[in-house]
Amino acid sequence: VVSVDYRLAPEHRAPTATEDAIDATAWVAERAAEYGVDPARLALAGDSAGGNLAALVAQDLGARIRAQALIYPAVDLTLGSASIAEHAHAPVLTRAGIDAFRQHYLGGSGIAADDPVVSPLFGPLAGVAPALIQTADLDPIRDDGVRYAEALAAAGVPVRHTNYLRAPHGF
């Protein structure tokens, strides 16, 4: 297990975190043998914003990644999912919190919210690693994960999605 740190917003706007995650994962892949790691068995995992980064790394590194586990991933920064309004005042993560996080990350970056460099839902999906996606029923970004699972399946990617009933973001 390799836990990767990355530069954070607002000091470092998008796509810095994505670039850091891709670079770190590529570094691990290139040096896998030095650490007794089988480079043919690299998997990614992340929750929330980390799920966003894991999905973006899986898209960028393609066949080098064997599997991805995305826990309540933020994969659509356009905030176009119905669950955003449905659970705007949910415990743990609210619409106001999401708006603030998005402004810190995208504000002043010149990157649109639907750009595949920050919203993996709009990125290249064919050929990415099989995915386990877990969503929380009471989460404003629940539908992001649902839509991503559907999009991956439509692209021919093996995917298993589980929605946890009565669970909030961060459960």
Side-chain angles (χ1 to χ4, degrees), residues 8-78:
L8 301 173
E11 294 81 12
H12 303 281
R13 306 272 184 189
T16 304
T18 303
E19 293 166 348
D20 288 353
I22 291 167
D23 290 348
T25 307
W27 186 92
V28 170
E30 291 164 6
R31 291 163 181 78
E34 295 174 37
Y35 297 97
V37 173
D38 181 351
R41 297 181 63 194
L42 293 179
L44 302 167
D47 70 304
S48 195
N52 170 285
L53 295 176
L56 290 167
V57 172
Q59 288 178 9
D60 189 80
L61 296 182
R64 294 169 78 179
I65 303 302
R66 185 69 178 251
Q68 55 182 320
L70 311 175
I71 316 318
Y72 35 82
V75 293
D76 177 7
L77 300 189
T78 69

